[in-house]
Amino acid sequence: MKRKTFVIYVKNEPVEVSEKVYRTYWQSIEKERYLSKKIRETWIYLDHLFDEYENNSLEYSLLEDLNPTANEAIKNELIEIMLNEVKKLPQDEQDLLYSFYFEGNTHTDYGKRVGLTPQAISLKHRVIIEKLRKTLDF
């Protein structure tokens, strides 16, 4: 009877491992996929960042809302931090964010308005979001 072999790939090379190592490896892969999915589900969304402070809100869902008072405090702190960071951006970057998130414009619409290609607008948008993520440590 042929023995069942278990193989995982390391740097694109097959490596034979025990059943226990194989199962543990795939459990870690599945856990990582699950956590990545949960991160995407709880991502923070921009909302009303350009209105007066009282009218601003960041909407996000929490995996477990065990302490609504603490979560509300965290939410308010994130609102303030996000608002301050967006206000530090150059005016053209603020305009781009406002156009996408509040006016509902596409890359093409905004590009026509400012005289740039949709690809250039997409790149600029990606750079702005990455800058905010780094600044806010998300």
Side-chain angles (χ1 to χ4, degrees):
M1 183 173 197
K2 189 175 182 179
R3 191 178 127 216
K4 194 171 188 178
T5 61
F6 297 92
V7 177
I8 61 174
Y9 287 83
V10 178
K11 296 184 180 181
N12 294 324
E13 296 292 326
V15 176
E16 193 170 322
V17 295
S18 69
E19 182 177 3
K20 184 177 180 180
V21 169
Y22 180 81
R23 292 189 186 283
T24 303
Y25 171 78
W26 280 106
Q27 283 176 345
S28 70
I29 295 295
E30 289 303 316
K31 184 174 183 176
E32 186 176 332
R33 285 182 184 155
Y34 170 79
L35 292 174
S36 294
K37 181 181 174 187
K38 287 300 178 188
I39 287 169
R40 284 191 303 274
E41 289 174 0
T42 59
W43 196 249
I44 297 174
Y45 297 95
L46 295 171
D47 186 27
H48 305 294
L49 291 176
F50 299 95
D51 295 336
E52 292 183 23
Y53 182 76
E54 303 84 60
N55 297 329
N56 286 302
S57 67
L58 277 175
E59 296 175 3
Y60 63 102
S61 62
L62 299 171
L63 292 176
E64 297 178 276
D65 194 3
L66 300 177
N67 188 342
T69 306
N71 290 336
E72 194 63 32
I74 291 169
K75 180 180 175 181
N76 289 336
E77 185 177 345
L78 287 172
I79 291 168
E80 188 171 350
I81 292 168
M82 179 73 82
L83 180 61
N84 289 334
E85 291 306 317
V86 169
K87 284 181 177 181
K88 291 178 188 176
L89 294 173
Q91 189 61 48
D92 64 318
E93 293 179 358
Q94 289 183 35
D95 292 344
L96 185 139
L97 292 176
Y98 184 82
S99 177
F100 287 173
Y101 294 103
F102 301 102
E103 295 175 350
N105 288 320
T106 63
H107 295 122
T108 304
D109 298 333
Y110 188 75
K112 285 179 184 175
R113 193 165 81 191
V114 297
L116 294 171
T117 66
Q119 294 82 2
I121 297 301
S122 177
L123 176 62
K124 188 173 184 174
H125 179 247
R126 213 176 14 231
V127 168
I128 294 167
I129 296 301
E130 195 57 40
K131 186 189 315 183
L132 284 172
R133 282 187 184 144
K134 284 180 184 175
T135 304
L136 298 170
D137 199 27
F138 287 144

